[in-house]
Amino acid sequence: MLLHGKRLLHGKKLLITGVLTNSSIAFHVAKLAQEEGAEVVLTSFGRAMKITKTIAKRLPSTPPVIELDVTNKEHVESLAERLGEHVDHIDGVLHSIGFAPQGAFNFLEGSWEDVATAVHTSAYSLKALSVAALPLMSPGGSVVGLTFDAQYAWPLYDWMGVAKAAFESTSRYCARDLGPKGVRVNLVAAGPIRTTAAKSIPGFLEFERIWSDR
């Protein structure tokens, strides 16, 4: 796509989280962003780092991968400094992060420990990532997160559904506080897609059926 003779994201620099396989939504965001002229930096952590670096080679241009566990305070606090080793600023961030232990997928029996992990990783992380990236964010920058319509009590989603509702609320507060700083915050609900994250949800096929019915 050309805009005034240039590709849509010509000269833009983006931080993209959540690239784990070539079926990841984040992978295709990174691919399209590069095809539209953007410079991309990916994040990963732990054992997934090796996987992300391998998958990154399937992109049109192999981007750097920096370590970021959004529940690790040191990783979050040092993000801008480490990201600054690769780019002098960023124009946008994709938050494609979500995790809940298996126990969180049983609403009545889910423990607080499991719920706390789900909320920390899947909701609070939006605020943490947005604030961590802020020092490098250019005016007019954008934070985009991926959600799953949290206004309903979906079958099987249980505490992850609650975490997504918190995520959506977090985005509104981030927009309130970051908007005056020139940073937009928006979410996209793409519906049930068979990503790696989706495969970790018990009974995901039921999601697809219910989504279509509704």
Side-chain angles (χ1 to χ4, degrees):
M1 181 182 294
L2 295 179
L3 184 66
H4 304 303
K6 294 182 179 180
R7 287 179 291 176
L8 187 62
L9 296 176
H10 176 76
K12 301 296 185 181
K13 301 180 182 184
L14 307 177
L15 177 66
I16 296 180
T17 68
V19 173
L20 187 59
T21 71
N22 56 3
S23 68
S24 302
I25 296 175
F27 174 86
H28 291 278
V29 171
K31 181 175 182 291
L32 184 58
Q34 286 188 341
E35 291 171 349
E36 290 295 336
E39 181 179 348
V40 168
V41 178
L42 306 182
T43 75
S44 190
F45 74 97
R47 290 180 294 179
M49 279 285 287
K50 185 176 180 180
I51 299 173
T52 300
K53 288 180 178 180
T54 299
I55 294 299
K57 295 176 183 177
R58 300 185 185 181
L59 291 169
S61 177
T62 303
V65 181
I66 62 175
E67 188 168 26
L68 176 64
D69 173 356
V70 289
T71 66
N72 183 311
K73 184 179 179 181
E74 292 181 2
H75 285 193
V76 172
E77 291 180 346
S78 65
L79 175 64
E81 180 181 352
R82 292 182 293 113
L83 182 57
E85 296 174 2
H86 302 282
V87 292
D88 58 359
H89 74 278
I90 54 173
D91 300 286
V93 174
L94 178 72
H95 179 288
S96 182
I97 300 167
F99 172 76
Q102 287 299 306
F105 292 100
N106 185 318
F107 188 79
L108 294 181
E109 296 182 11
S111 69
W112 168 241
E113 289 74 16
D114 288 341
V115 173
T117 298
V119 172
H120 189 179
T121 308
S122 308
Y124 180 82
S125 61
L126 178 63
K127 190 281 298 186
L129 179 61
S130 300
V131 172
L134 191 59
L136 287 179
M137 189 74 79
S138 59
S142 176
V143 176
V144 176
L146 303 179
T147 189
F148 191 92
D149 191 350
Q151 64 181 314
Y152 301 109
W154 294 100
L156 309 169
Y157 212 32
D158 295 351
W159 286 104
M160 190 61 180
V162 175
K164 281 297 185 183
F167 178 66
E168 293 177 10
S169 182
T170 300
S171 74
R172 291 189 286 270
Y173 282 94
C174 283
R176 182 197 67 182
D177 290 351
L178 296 180
K181 300 179 185 297
V183 177
R184 294 163 292 150
V185 182
N186 292 283
L187 301 183
V188 175
I193 299 175
R194 297 186 187 185
T195 61
T196 300
K199 293 175 183 177
S200 68
I201 300 173
F204 179 77
L205 293 179
E206 181 73 3
F207 268 117
E208 294 183 309
R209 186 185 68 78
I210 293 294
W211 185 273
S212 299
D213 290 347
R214 290 186 178 179

